[in-house]
Amino acid sequence: MGGSQGSSGRTINISVPNGDAFMNTHTLEGPPELVMRSSAYLDHVSGTTTGPTSSTNIPTPSKTSRSVRVQLASYVAEMFSARGDRKFAFAVLVEGNDITLFFYHRSAIIQADPFDIASNPTYFALLLLMFYRDLPDLGFNEIMGYCNPFDFTDESTNKLQSGLLESVKGSDTPLDISKIVLGEKLASPYCLIGRGTSVIKANIDGYKLVIKFSWQVKTRKNEDKFILDARTLLDIIKYIPEIFGKAVVNDMTPVAKLRDACMTRGKIFEVREFRALVMREYFHIYDLGPRDFWSVIVQIAKCLHTLFVRLKMLHGDISISNIAFYRNDKNEIIAVLLDFDLASYFPLKQSSNHRTGTAPFMAREVLNLNDKDFTRALHHDLESLFYIVVWYSVGYKGYKIPKKGDILADWRKGSWEKILVAKNQFISGNAIQPASMAAVLKHVEDEDLRFCCKGIGSCFHDADADAGYQQTLANIKMRELSRPERALAEAAASKAPMTLAPPVTYAEWMKGAGEDPSCTCCQQMGATQ
């Protein structure tokens, strides 16, 4: 069995995710088994045929064949992890005299018909010739100048191609973006399909920065637009990252036929483009002690609420890695909300093809694939924020498993449906169940954090008790909402039900946490809580 570059032939097996494929970032601190793989990955390694068929019938793979596919896919995932800017890769599977070629793209996986070496020596000769292709034909990003952003010991590869980055006025600190020098890797993806976000250190004349590389869906609004919009709110600008530069590189891979093949089978093929964003360096919140951690959480809750009320903006991917902090001139800890890749403006009706987020922290309604559609709103981000508090409180350091055990394993393993079941059991399960809130919170050593978790959790538990609830115009009036929030909720409810249970409001969330629910932004808009 080989895992090298080659060429693909006649396409017969295409795997694509139902929407964007999101998985936990494999950080330097976390073990690789924490990676959540996409449905396309699972289809590929199990041999499931999810694309158009050809005249060749592919038999159900044996257990040996499945294990080889897993090994082959892991090799490609490592290749993508090593080069965050890489567009695609070829791979070769050799089983006896049979050779199968695979084409791994950021949006789909193609499997060619296998061929017998003895019967088709011409095909084998063409395969060997493929190894002599130029770097762009092997998936390397030509516009990136072939720098290796993860080999920071080689000074010849730590510079981006001249003119690639465009300056962005997202900070009061003047920097010459053309002088950026890349540094060591902070995080890299371990995935086959999706954004594949990588983060590395960088600097300009000693000013510490990070640069984020990712493969975004081309139709999705650029992250810098959301950040610059959020930075117009002076009362929360300190919570929004400072950005200095960006880049957008089109994927020149000829994917038109691939897209058409996917669409004829009812599959979603999302055209992606390579994006880079340069921002100030911030620090992990899981390195903070309980008091400072909680301070950051409260600041983020206020930030999310202000973004929603003032700009109708929703973050969409609240996770432990997307919240950071820094210290100001007074040595105070200030929260920062990172990664606006999945941000949107309210109301946005979403279908089951567009479930987005990081699995352990995704709101239950977003995980619910049986719900045909829903309207994303603030309560989804607040529910994700609650899961972060629980995650940290039971001992997870980022995605590193606690010494006491993988307590919340069911929040990150398996299908979306299984993760949804685990979270429903956590919120509404009987206290004697090991996955229930009462059982999980026994592992929380800090009393103050346990109090906060119980208080916020009771809000979700009580909301679940109201079975059959729908967010209609009639019962919106019964919720604890400010005038701006009420107006937004009524606008959404007039178009589609928002949720299957009463959403936990910002005021309820804050009261449950024992915090002041008063809201400056709502008061400024002539409303009171």
Side-chain angles (χ1 to χ4, degrees):
M1 178 259 153
S4 55
Q5 286 81 13
S7 171
S8 62
R10 294 168 289 159
T11 62
I12 61 167
N13 186 11
I14 298 179
S15 298
V16 295
N18 289 325
D20 216 350
F22 301 99
M23 50 218 75
N24 298 338
T25 300
H26 172 32
T27 64
L28 297 182
E29 296 83 11
E33 62 265 19
L34 282 178
V35 175
M36 304 285 297
R37 293 178 174 85
S38 69
S39 59
Y41 173 92
L42 297 175
D43 287 345
H44 168 59
V45 298
S46 64
T48 303
T49 301
T50 58
T53 59
S54 74
S55 58
T56 302
N57 294 320
I58 302 299
T60 302
S62 64
K63 291 183 179 180
T64 302
S65 179
R66 290 192 185 98
S67 65
V68 171
R69 286 169 180 264
V70 170
Q71 186 179 13
L72 183 66
S74 68
Y75 289 164
V76 178
E78 290 286 353
M79 293 163 66
F80 282 169
S81 177
R83 288 297 306 251
D85 65 322
R86 190 160 184 175
K87 294 178 288 186
F88 59 82
F90 293 103
V92 182
L93 176 62
V94 180
E95 296 178 292
N97 285 340
D98 290 334
I99 290 182
T100 306
L101 305 179
F102 295 88
F103 177 69
Y104 293 84
H105 188 267
R106 293 287 182 175
S107 293
I109 302 168
I110 306 177
Q111 175 185 330
D113 291 331
F115 68 88
D116 180 87
I117 298 176
S119 303
N120 299 277
T122 303
Y123 282 7
F124 184 63
L126 290 173
L127 171 62
L128 296 179
L129 288 175
M130 289 296 299
F131 295 137
Y132 293 94
R133 283 177 172 260
D134 293 334
L135 288 177
D137 293 327
L138 296 176
F140 290 91
N141 198 326
E142 183 178 13
I143 300 179
M144 285 289 289
Y146 306 128
C147 72
N148 186 352
F150 300 149
D151 184 10
F152 59 94
T153 59
D154 186 351
E155 294 185 359
S156 66
T157 64
N158 66 356
K159 301 287 181 63
L160 296 176
Q161 187 180 43
S162 176
L164 174 66
L165 291 173
E166 172 188 346
S167 294
V168 176
K169 295 181 180 179
S171 174
D172 293 331
T173 304
L175 294 176
D176 184 352
I177 200 68
S178 66
K179 295 182 178 179
I180 192 168
V181 178
L182 306 183
E184 63 181 296
K185 176 172 62 176
L186 294 176
S188 62
Y190 194 82
C191 62
L192 297 177
I193 294 176
R195 290 179 292 165
T197 303
S198 302
V199 182
I200 64 173
K201 286 188 175 183
N203 77 85
I204 297 177
D205 296 330
Y207 191 92
K208 294 182 179 180
L209 304 165
V210 297
I211 182 168
K212 183 174 80 171
F213 298 144
S214 58
W215 288 90
Q216 300 294 336
V217 177
K218 193 170 184 177
T219 56
R220 182 168 288 141
K221 189 174 183 178
N222 285 16
E223 179 183 10
D224 65 290
K225 303 297 184 184
F226 288 102
I227 292 176
L228 293 176
D229 198 4
R231 288 184 64 84
T232 62
L233 302 179
L234 298 182
D235 48 341
I236 63 167
I237 190 173
K238 61 184 178 181
Y239 304 138
I240 309 300
E242 297 180 54
I243 58 175
F244 301 90
K246 68 174 183 178
V248 178
V249 180
N250 290 326
D251 178 8
M252 303 307 292
T253 309
V255 294
K257 292 183 179 180
L258 174 58
R259 180 184 64 244
D260 294 342
C262 292
M263 293 178 67
T264 58
R265 299 291 295 176
K267 298 293 183 178
I268 293 178
F269 180 87
E270 296 176 304
V271 178
R272 296 180 181 274
E273 61 185 11
F274 180 72
R275 297 179 185 175
L277 187 68
V278 181
M279 68 182 72
R280 176 179 170 180
E281 182 182 30
Y282 298 104
F283 305 99
H284 300 300
I285 59 170
Y286 50 79
D287 291 330
L288 293 171
R291 303 287 79 70
D292 291 333
F293 170 84
W294 180 249
S295 172
V296 167
I297 293 297
V298 173
Q299 292 176 60
I300 291 297
K302 294 178 179 179
C303 177
L304 291 171
H305 180 254
T306 302
L307 288 172
F308 179 65
V309 171
R310 298 278 295 279
L311 297 177
K312 299 184 181 180
M313 186 187 295
L314 298 162
H315 185 273
D317 189 14
I318 301 298
S319 70
I320 193 73
S321 57
N322 289 342
I323 299 175
F325 78 96
Y326 66 96
R327 292 184 181 272
N328 62 12
D329 295 338
K330 298 179 181 179
N331 203 36
E332 298 170 324
I333 289 180
I334 307 297
V336 181
L337 184 60
L338 302 175
D339 196 350
F340 284 72
D341 282 337
L342 305 182
S344 60
Y345 291 100
F346 180 89
L348 175 65
K349 184 178 178 181
Q350 294 188 296
S351 70
S352 59
N353 287 329
H354 292 86
R355 296 311 200 234
T356 58
T358 305
F361 314 109
M362 288 170 68
R364 290 167 297 157
E365 188 177 26
V366 183
L367 284 166
N368 186 8
L369 295 177
N370 295 319
D371 182 21
K372 293 183 179 179
D373 53 55
F374 68 101
T375 301
R376 187 179 282 278
L378 177 62
H379 64 276
H380 296 117
D381 282 351
L382 291 177
E383 183 176 344
S384 295
L385 193 61
F386 169 52
Y387 295 143
I388 290 175
V389 178
V390 176
W391 184 268
Y392 170 92
S393 298
V394 298
Y396 287 86
K397 292 274 289 183
Y399 297 108
K400 187 175 182 180
I401 297 174
K403 293 182 180 179
K404 65 185 73 173
D406 197 358
I407 301 163
L408 300 176
D410 292 339
W411 286 21
R412 61 175 184 79
K413 288 183 176 181
S415 65
W416 301 130
E417 291 88 346
K418 289 182 179 179
I419 296 173
L420 173 62
V421 169
K423 288 185 176 178
N424 279 332
Q425 290 178 347
F426 173 76
I427 296 294
S428 303
N430 190 293
I432 63 173
Q433 293 179 315
S436 70
M437 191 181 308
V440 170
L441 295 186
K442 288 180 180 179
H443 298 280
V444 180
E445 297 178 0
D446 187 271
E447 294 184 2
D448 291 336
L449 286 179
R450 189 186 307 116
F451 169 83
C452 295
C453 289
K454 287 182 177 180
I456 302 171
S458 66
C459 296
F460 289 97
H461 181 274
D462 294 345
D464 275 16
D466 191 355
Y469 176 94
Q470 282 196 329
Q471 181 79 333
T472 63
L473 291 171
N475 57 38
I476 283 175
K477 297 178 180 179
M478 301 174 62
R479 306 301 299 162
E480 189 172 1
L481 296 167
S482 66
R483 288 180 187 174
E485 290 173 314
R486 192 179 305 280
L488 292 173
E490 288 175 349
S494 65
K495 297 182 179 180
M498 285 178 62
T499 184
L500 300 179
V504 174
T505 68
Y506 170 76
E508 293 166 344
W509 197 99
M510 292 292 280
K511 284 183 177 180
E515 297 290 337
D516 182 5
S518 62
C519 172
T520 303
C521 70
C522 287
Q523 293 170 356
Q524 291 174 346
M525 298 178 71
T528 57
Q529 287 284 9

